[in-house]
Amino acid sequence: MQNQVAGIVLCGGKSTRMGSDKGLMRTEGKRSAELIAEKLQHAGLKVYYSINESQESTYDFLVPEESIVD
């Protein structure tokens, strides 16, 4: 059996220090969560997202439901 490594984009948080959801902030013309996921995929990793339950509807357009982890 082969071990697999996955990448996890950490999006869940209260954003108390940043003042807004850092995963949705634009960086290099893309949302931060998108940019990080692309870099992980480029490295050959399966990508998962850690998102708070309260944020799931905010990320519907960006994150496939099956890629969300607790």
Side-chain angles (χ1 to χ4, degrees):
M1 182 187 305
Q2 182 179 356
N3 291 330
Q4 292 186 343
V5 177
I8 300 179
V9 180
L10 303 175
C11 300
K14 294 181 182 177
S15 303
T16 52
R17 290 178 289 178
M18 292 289 291
S20 62
D21 190 325
K22 57 188 162 287
L24 298 176
M25 293 178 78
R26 292 218 174 252
T27 304
E28 297 180 27
K30 298 181 181 186
R31 288 179 172 77
S32 294
E34 259 180 310
L35 186 62
I36 294 166
E38 286 177 3
K39 290 180 181 198
L40 292 170
Q41 288 170 338
H42 184 72
L45 301 176
K46 176 136 178 80
V47 177
Y48 294 98
Y49 299 82
S50 174
I51 300 170
N52 282 335
E53 236 177 77
S54 64
Q55 294 171 299
E56 285 183 16
S57 62
T58 309
Y59 281 85
D60 276 350
F61 72 97
L62 183 64
V63 177
E65 188 175 332
E66 64 274 4
S67 296
I68 297 173
V69 295
D70 292 334

